[in-house]
Amino acid sequence: MDAMNELIVALGGKVGLIWIRSNEELRVERNLIPLADKLKYRLRRWTVTRGIVDVAEEAKGVQDRSEDRELSTALESTLSSPERVMLLVYDGQPWLNDPMTLRCVKDAHNRLKTFAKTESKHIIFVDGNEPPKSIPGITAVDWPLPDRSVMSRI
């Protein structure tokens, strides 16, 4: 099964925490934009420098800078949203070394399973490293480098 299909199965199975193993944040995000649109999710991205950014609004030129620069705050903001949300977390692994943030991620993992379909949320870490063993139940998806057929279209 390819990475996109693995991701679709995980989303359909209400897997709340997903770890995409890739160092290519932009390529992963570009692939997730049409998927999020098709599945009626708001695609948002979190970085420590910008906080939460709505990817669709950013594409329209809206320069939204969220104050949610702490990962734990960004998680709570996502969980309290009434919308269906996929939150991409970039460079999240160092934050998981903090016991408070790690506990927030574990708590979020438990809460993500309780949302109705109309309010589904998924936290998707995009990181080239292995997911931490301290978060049981996180689903890992390997996002391969582009193959020759993809490269030939560039």
Side-chain angles (χ1 to χ4, degrees):
M1 186 180 314
D2 72 358
M4 185 61 82
N5 285 333
E6 281 185 57
L7 183 59
I8 291 169
V9 167
L11 295 171
K14 290 185 74 171
V15 173
L17 281 180
I18 300 168
W19 190 280
I20 295 179
R21 281 188 288 252
S22 176
N23 290 315
E24 296 184 282
E25 297 168 347
L26 187 57
R27 191 167 67 84
V28 170
E29 184 176 307
R30 285 181 180 159
N31 280 273
L32 293 185
I33 291 170
L35 177 63
D37 189 49
K38 178 181 176 183
L39 298 177
K40 308 275 190 268
Y41 280 92
R42 299 292 298 202
L43 184 62
R44 296 184 175 139
R45 168 191 339 109
W46 177 86
T47 63
V48 68
T49 55
R50 296 195 62 204
I52 296 176
V53 175
D54 187 294
V55 174
E57 294 297 312
E58 183 183 51
K60 295 177 189 173
V62 177
Q63 294 298 317
D64 175 36
R65 284 187 68 114
S66 166
E67 296 304 316
D68 298 328
R69 292 200 180 101
E70 292 284 335
L71 181 54
S72 56
T73 308
L75 292 173
E76 187 54 43
S77 175
T78 299
L79 294 173
S80 63
S81 171
E83 301 174 293
R84 290 168 54 97
V85 177
M86 278 188 224
L87 178 67
L88 300 176
V89 176
Y90 294 154
D91 301 322
Q93 189 156 25
W95 291 85
L96 299 176
N97 293 325
D98 172 54
M100 181 72 78
T101 303
L102 180 61
R103 183 72 252 167
C104 287
V105 170
K106 288 179 178 181
D107 290 346
H109 184 50
N110 292 327
R111 286 178 59 195
L112 287 165
K113 300 171 191 173
T114 67
F115 287 100
K117 186 176 183 178
T118 57
E119 296 179 358
S120 291
K121 285 136 182 70
H122 302 277
I123 310 300
I124 304 172
F125 288 84
V126 180
D127 193 297
N129 298 308
E130 291 290 319
K133 294 186 184 346
S134 56
I135 306 174
I138 193 166
T139 297
V141 175
D142 288 314
W143 205 271
L145 293 171
D147 59 19
R148 289 182 188 263
S149 65
V150 173
M151 296 302 290
S152 67
R153 287 181 270 159
I154 298 176

